[in-house]
Amino acid sequence: MPPMPNPETRRPQLGSALVRGLGLFGFWLLLADPTGVTGAKLAVDLGVGVLAAAAATWASLALLPPAPGRRRYGALAQLAWRFLSQSVVAGVDVALRALSPNPRLKPGYLAYPVRLPPGPARAGFGALTSLVPGTVPVGSDREGRLVYHCLDLDLPVAAGLAADEALLTRALGGGQR
């Protein structure tokens, strides 16, 4: 007789499956746009969407199993707000520099000692920070630090990266509130 699954380990998987499945089905709805469809066609379309979301959820759980730890959605909201506001400010700054006849630039490389271990969280941090105008991660150095190309080294880039990393760590369930 196979061992009984531990309810402690099933709960995070069930929660992750539900969240991922609903998110993927919502994404499918955005792509399919069933607003003008009615009757039997709508039922078939929604059935296809449920099947597609279920298959994508299964693949997602197989390829990236849920990690232990509790997600903190308040910290995730703070991270999203910081990212959006930082993107707007940095985008305006880059645009003004591009349109200026004498742009203030001090380009160079910054090695940031990231504390996240190699894996999905660190890759996510690199992807998140690559979207902010003015800084682009270009790789790692021999000490394992992430190397960024910056338009202006006089800006507090390292402090911003540290704040982003702290928020991401909190959002992923690490660190204290």
Side-chain angles (χ1 to χ4, degrees):
M1 180 182 248
M4 292 293 290
N6 182 356
E8 296 291 322
T9 58
R10 279 188 73 216
R11 183 170 289 142
Q13 288 181 342
L14 183 61
S16 289
L18 185 62
V19 168
R20 292 180 192 192
L22 288 174
L24 290 165
F25 183 69
F27 184 63
W28 180 86
L29 284 173
L30 286 173
L31 293 176
D33 188 24
T35 51
V37 181
T38 59
K41 173 120 174 66
L42 177 62
V44 169
D45 284 355
L46 289 177
V48 168
V50 168
L51 288 174
T57 301
W58 176 81
S60 168
L61 290 170
L63 294 172
L64 188 61
R70 188 170 157 249
R71 306 296 186 258
R72 298 195 187 317
Y73 295 106
L76 188 60
Q78 285 178 325
L79 179 64
W81 175 252
R82 176 172 166 73
F83 171 73
L84 290 173
S85 61
Q86 191 178 8
S87 293
V88 169
V89 169
V92 168
D93 179 58
V94 169
L96 290 174
R97 289 172 193 255
L99 297 174
S100 173
N102 297 320
R104 307 168 323 273
L105 296 177
K106 187 179 174 188
Y109 294 95
L110 169 83
Y112 177 72
V114 65
R115 291 179 300 275
L116 292 166
R122 187 174 183 154
F125 175 71
L128 177 74
T129 56
S130 74
L131 298 174
V132 178
T135 59
V136 176
V138 294
S140 297
D141 65 6
R142 290 187 178 153
E143 288 82 36
R145 299 176 296 187
L146 287 179
V147 178
Y148 286 83
H149 180 269
C150 307
L151 283 181
D152 191 352
L153 288 174
D154 287 337
L155 294 175
V157 176
L161 291 171
D164 292 341
E165 184 181 15
L167 277 174
L168 180 63
T169 301
R170 276 189 34 218
L172 293 175
Q176 299 299 319
R177 249 180 136 18

